[in-house]
Amino acid sequence: MCGIVGIRRFDGRPIDEALLRTMAAQLHHRGPDGDGFRVFRDVGFGHTRLSIIDLAGSPQPMTSASGPFHITFNGEIFNYQERRRALAQANVPLRTHGDTEVLLETLRLLGLKGLDHLNGQFAFAYFDERAGTLLLARDRLGILPLYYAEGPGFVAFASEVKALLPALPEPRLDEDALEDYLTYRSVPPPNTLFAGVKKLTPGTALWISADGKLKHETWWQLPAELRGETLTGDAAITAVTEGLERAVAGRLVADVPVGAYLSGGLDSSLTVALMKKLRQGGEVQTFAAGFNDPRYDELPYAKQVSEAVGTTHHEVHVTPQDFQQLWSKLSWHRDGPISEPADVAIFRIAKYARSTVKVLLSGEGSDEIFGGYPKYAYEPKLAKFAALPAFLRVPLMRFGERLLPASKNRARQAARALTGRDTAERLQTWFAPFTWYERRALKPGFGALRTLGQYERCQGDHLRRMLYVDCHTWLADNLLERGDRMSMAASIENRPPFLDHELVELAFRVDSSMKVRGHSGKWIVKEIARRYLPANIVDRKKVGFRVPLDEWFRGGLKDYVHDLLLGRDSFVSKYLERKMVAALLEDHMRGRRSEELRLWTLLGLEVWQRAFLRGVIPRYSALDSRP
């Protein structure tokens, strides 16, 4: 993957190439192998390259051999060889052996409709100089990012927010987006925490005309409607098996070494097993992180999978000191709060792996399309409570949550979810660090009912609609942003096979009974995995990529956490209700209840605010810290 930047002016002033270079310098970590800059009348493109395919060729920005058509492109087209043959049959002259030119010529011939023929993860800008049209587009699921901002007489775009800032006034907080962050741990598109900076929605395109008019167009959507009969039984298992094998095979396409994250969980383990099968016994490099805490440390399981499959395995140990040393750096890379503690561990793995491989496959996306989270099994059991009127249910569930001990974390989370005043709010609250009444206590004016149009738009049973919502929110705006930023912070490419769009479309045709059965989620994935993995790996309880923050906050990070949240210059304690922040911290430190998620959310906000909004934006290199 790479980094892209660009500007379109419509006020008659020339493009400043020096500004393009300053913007691109913020993305060196995304493309340490080279850079390029081109100006075409009122449009300027910049590019930083991480060479994965056609290492010696395919420099960017690239211009077509057939005329003034230009592109700057971040990502990979996995079926580019197939598409290359189709272009050759159409007598299209090709000068390189890479996927960039394939994308460029496909757009030149077919326009935006050409993306229907491509399988990949990408974000790009394409300029048709003859027509004067500039097109920005983002891949179907939102694996790769793209941001834009309007300034006086221009529109600028970039792979990351930090690359836009040299072209804009001093960054400011978007106060309306702050409650989104406290609700989702991320900010849904089109907004960001930066006032005036917008995020392109997955599967959409943005047309920018010569006079500065912006027009959005959706070019792909996750299937909301039910298309024909759902898949069940052996037919479903066969179809998903074949689809997943194709997806993994496509993501092995590279001219550099490809390895994999291996947590020891089901999804990464199955991905690794399929990599080994497809490589016909060839070497597979795998990487895992541990925390020296038996409650969360999955290193023994990852090692067991490695031994069973036959990989060359590497381990990284993460400490509280890593969090303290890396938090500001990684917040800068994330362009926002580090919303998941696992971000630090993922960066440490990627950083370590960078000396061995240049691409890592991950298991991201399986939970959201095949029903892997415990909440999917819990939801049917909550129907009687959910049917109670909100004026009875909300206080009852609030009281129930306070009575439940910390050891009953899932029951406590279910009670919190049931405090949602309607279905949409209940679904939001499953992953929310703060409920609506907690947000109201944190800031006057917060806590209003929030719509969730994805749920209403989707057809099918409740599980299908939940998955549809999570693909549009939790997955796209949190997990995929994390995967992109933490891997690219180490100059390594992340590829999630479960988010191959053909597999995702297939998954939304699979009957819900094949996904959640009783207390078990991802039933169909487990049935497939039994062919490749030990039974105790397939059937063990889902843990997730957990970090022992509860103890770390009471131990090695105690003073650090207190200073950030309650210190004299704390943004959080000044902007939000200080008494509530202090109460959360006190409850956690005294062991009354675990408040690690809410504390982490506030800490992430504080570190981000210090990194970006205090007049000094740090400049980091992807290579400046130890592995």
Side-chain angles (χ1 to χ4, degrees):
M1 286 187 273
C2 307
I4 64 174
V5 300
I7 295 176
R8 176 157 215 176
R9 299 209 70 98
F10 40 87
D11 58 1
R13 297 177 60 185
I15 297 293
D16 184 353
E17 185 174 322
L19 176 58
L20 286 175
R21 291 180 178 274
T22 301
M23 294 167 65
Q26 309 305 308
L27 302 180
H28 174 74
H29 53 282
R30 296 191 73 93
D33 298 333
D35 57 31
F37 304 89
R38 296 283 302 278
V39 173
F40 320 100
R41 300 189 313 187
D42 58 351
V43 172
F45 284 171
H47 186 268
T48 63
R49 188 179 187 200
L50 181 66
S51 302
I52 302 293
I53 293 175
D54 191 17
L55 305 186
S58 300
Q60 292 192 53
M62 183 179 289
T63 296
S64 171
S66 302
F69 308 94
H70 319 285
I71 197 167
T72 183
F73 161 52
N74 168 32
E76 309 291 348
I77 306 300
F78 300 122
N79 67 337
Y80 80 99
Q81 293 285 19
E82 172 190 326
R83 186 62 195 162
R84 181 183 175 87
R85 290 190 290 271
L87 292 170
Q89 291 176 358
N91 297 316
V92 175
L94 298 172
R95 299 165 295 176
T96 73
H97 300 285
D99 57 344
T100 301
E101 189 173 26
V102 168
L103 173 60
L104 172 60
E105 296 302 333
T106 298
L107 291 167
R108 181 183 66 83
L109 289 176
L110 302 175
L112 189 59
K113 288 291 185 183
L115 298 184
D116 294 341
H117 299 274
L118 304 179
N119 185 312
Q121 52 188 60
F122 49 79
F124 65 82
Y126 168 75
F127 182 42
D128 180 342
E129 196 170 348
R130 289 179 181 173
T133 55
L134 174 62
L135 169 67
L136 310 182
R138 192 175 176 202
D139 65 52
R140 296 170 176 87
L141 276 302
I143 299 170
L144 295 189
L146 192 55
Y147 298 87
Y148 65 96
E150 297 181 72
F154 69 88
V155 175
F157 64 86
S159 296
E160 298 180 9
V161 174
K162 65 184 67 64
L164 293 174
L165 299 183
L168 301 175
E170 183 174 329
R172 296 180 295 105
L173 171 69
D174 184 332
E175 297 189 13
D176 291 336
L178 179 57
E179 188 175 3
D180 284 332
Y181 168 68
L182 297 176
T183 303
Y184 298 105
R185 288 185 258 172
S186 58
V187 179
N191 298 318
T192 70
L193 280 174
F194 294 87
V197 176
K198 302 297 183 183
K199 174 168 54 177
L200 199 60
T201 302
T204 63
L206 175 64
W207 298 92
I208 305 174
S209 66
D211 59 1
K213 293 180 180 179
L214 276 57
K215 177 184 176 183
H216 289 82
E217 180 176 351
T218 300
W219 69 270
W220 182 87
Q221 286 183 306
L222 190 64
E225 70 280 7
L226 292 167
R227 298 174 179 174
E229 294 184 3
T230 58
L231 293 171
T232 60
D234 291 342
I237 294 174
T238 299
V240 172
T241 301
E242 293 174 351
L244 184 55
E245 285 196 11
R246 284 194 300 270
V248 173
R251 279 140 193 85
L252 295 178
V253 173
D255 296 330
V256 295
V258 178
Y261 292 102
L262 179 57
S263 69
L266 177 65
D267 306 320
S268 64
S269 298
L270 178 54
T271 299
V272 166
L274 290 175
M275 289 176 68
K276 190 70 174 181
K277 174 187 176 181
L278 291 164
R279 286 183 168 173
Q280 300 179 336
E283 185 183 43
V284 173
Q285 301 269 348
T286 54
F287 304 85
F291 308 100
N292 299 314
D293 188 319
R295 296 175 303 165
Y296 306 123
D297 207 329
E298 295 191 287
L299 287 180
Y301 298 106
K303 185 177 181 180
Q304 181 183 353
V305 173
S306 171
E307 291 173 349
V309 174
T311 74
T312 302
H313 193 56
H314 310 268
E315 295 180 350
V316 176
H317 293 271
V318 183
T319 68
Q321 289 70 38
D322 289 318
F323 279 71
Q324 189 166 345
Q325 293 169 7
L326 293 172
W327 210 327
S328 180
K329 171 189 174 76
L330 296 184
S331 184
W332 181 83
H333 278 291
R334 181 78 187 248
D335 286 327
I338 302 178
S339 57
E340 296 297 314
D343 288 22
V344 178
I346 289 172
F347 168 75
R348 290 276 282 109
I349 294 173
K351 183 68 175 151
Y352 184 94
R354 185 61 172 81
S355 62
T356 308
V357 301
K358 216 169 181 178
V359 176
L360 286 173
L361 271 59
S362 73
E364 216 72 87
S366 175
D367 288 315
E368 291 79 14
I369 63 174
F370 289 114
Y373 296 122
K375 69 174 186 175
Y376 300 130
Y378 257 86
E379 268 284 322
K381 302 174 177 62
L382 305 181
K384 291 182 179 179
F385 293 106
L388 292 173
F391 75 90
L392 290 176
R393 176 172 34 82
V394 173
L396 179 64
M397 292 300 112
R398 291 181 66 175
F399 179 72
E401 185 209 351
R402 288 194 295 271
L403 291 181
L404 288 166
S407 60
K408 300 293 184 180
N409 183 57
R410 288 181 179 173
R412 290 179 66 230
Q413 188 56 45
R416 289 175 63 82
L418 283 166
T419 62
R421 291 164 290 186
D422 60 13
T423 301
E425 199 164 67
R426 185 173 81 249
L427 296 185
Q428 291 165 349
T429 306
W430 274 110
F431 285 146
F434 295 98
T435 61
W436 65 270
Y437 50 86
E438 289 170 336
R439 297 195 301 272
R440 178 175 292 176
L442 274 172
K443 184 75 172 175
F446 283 6
L449 273 171
R450 308 166 70 78
T451 60
L452 200 61
Q454 298 98 337
Y455 184 84
E456 300 301 327
R457 186 162 61 246
C458 185
Q459 298 177 2
D461 59 25
H462 185 56
L463 175 62
R464 188 176 190 273
R465 298 168 86 178
M466 288 180 71
L467 297 173
Y468 188 82
V469 168
D470 285 343
C471 283
H472 281 86
T473 53
W474 176 254
L475 176 65
D477 300 315
N478 190 336
L479 301 186
L480 293 182
E481 281 193 17
R482 174 185 76 184
D484 174 79
R485 298 303 199 287
M486 296 303 102
S487 59
M488 292 307 294
S491 302
I492 205 163
E493 179 170 295
N494 176 42
R495 297 177 176 179
F498 279 99
L499 295 182
D500 177 284
H501 77 276
E502 294 176 354
L503 179 60
V504 173
E505 290 174 345
L506 174 65
F508 272 80
R509 292 177 51 219
V510 172
D511 191 81
S512 292
S513 66
M514 301 291 291
K515 297 179 180 181
V516 176
R517 292 192 177 183
H519 297 289
S520 179
K522 285 188 297 197
W523 184 88
I524 188 172
V525 179
K526 292 175 182 177
E527 291 304 296
I528 295 168
R530 295 186 197 284
R531 307 176 185 181
Y532 304 98
L533 297 169
N536 65 324
I537 293 294
V538 175
D539 294 321
R540 76 184 180 91
K541 185 177 179 181
K542 181 177 177 60
V543 175
F545 204 167
R546 294 289 307 281
V547 179
L549 282 179
D550 55 348
E551 295 299 329
W552 288 3
F553 281 171
R554 296 186 186 103
L557 295 177
K558 181 178 179 180
D559 292 340
Y560 179 66
V561 169
H562 186 278
D563 289 345
L564 283 176
L565 294 184
L566 296 176
R568 182 178 301 176
D569 59 347
S570 171
F571 164 78
V572 164
S573 64
K574 292 177 181 177
Y575 190 81
L576 301 176
E577 179 54 55
R578 180 183 177 88
K579 288 183 179 179
M580 183 175 177
V581 176
L584 288 172
L585 194 58
E586 177 76 5
D587 285 347
H588 187 84
M589 295 307 176
R590 292 187 177 276
R592 294 171 185 152
R593 52 195 291 165
S594 176
E595 296 291 0
E596 62 180 84
L597 175 59
R598 280 164 284 288
L599 291 175
W600 176 268
T601 302
L602 296 178
L603 287 163
L605 178 64
E606 179 68 30
V607 174
W608 169 79
Q609 194 272 346
R610 294 184 182 203
F612 281 100
L613 302 186
R614 297 202 179 177
V616 178
I617 302 171
R619 303 294 195 262
Y620 292 106
S621 164
L623 307 178
D624 67 0
S625 65
R626 64 180 176 83

